[in-house]
Each structure stands twice: as structure tokens, then as C-alpha cells.
Amino acid sequence: PMKAINRIIEIHTEKNNLILDPFLGSGTTAHCAKQLNRKCIGIEIEEEYCEMAAKRCSQSVMTLNI
């Protein structure tokens, strides 16, 4: 559903806005936010999904502040 998430982000935010995703899952929102020049904070309780989201985000060129 990346197309849908991209559209939601475009409608409801502006460039450099911060998006909070309390159910990060595989990181779709974070990935879309990066593509649209938004910042994103994701929260996920399951370690497997945290690793999946981190891998997905690390595949694009971005600066991670750890």
C-alpha cells in the first residue's frame, strides 16, 4: 500500500515535518516519509519487525541518527 501511504503523507504533511508511527511494522510509513522528505519516528514492540524496518530503511540513502 505504498501508493496509499504516500498520498496520505502528501495530503497531511509538508516537507521536513515529523511523522510518528506507533505501529511501525515493516517500515512502510518510514520508507515513504523518507522518499517524500519527511522525518519519521517509528515504534515497534516486535524485534523481528524492528529489524525488518531497519533493513528496509537502510537500503535507501539516508542519515540515521542513532
Side-chain angles (χ1 to χ4, degrees):
M2 285 183 58
K3 187 174 182 179
I5 300 298
N6 278 336
R7 185 73 179 131
I8 291 168
I9 291 172
E10 287 177 327
I11 291 171
H12 295 288
T13 65
E14 297 176 6
K15 288 185 178 181
N16 296 314
N17 277 173
L18 178 63
I19 297 168
L20 174 63
D21 183 358
F23 308 101
L24 184 63
S26 64
T28 301
T29 301
H31 182 76
C32 292
K34 175 59 185 167
Q35 287 182 328
L36 296 171
N37 296 312
R38 274 63 166 184
K39 298 171 186 158
C40 183
I41 295 174
I43 301 168
E44 179 57 56
I45 194 168
E46 295 293 330
E47 185 176 351
E48 177 182 349
Y49 284 108
C50 290
E51 292 170 1
M52 188 183 307
K55 182 178 179 183
R56 184 177 199 176
C57 289
S58 70
Q59 291 175 348
S60 61
V61 178
M62 61 190 283
T63 302
L64 297 175
N65 297 323
I66 299 176

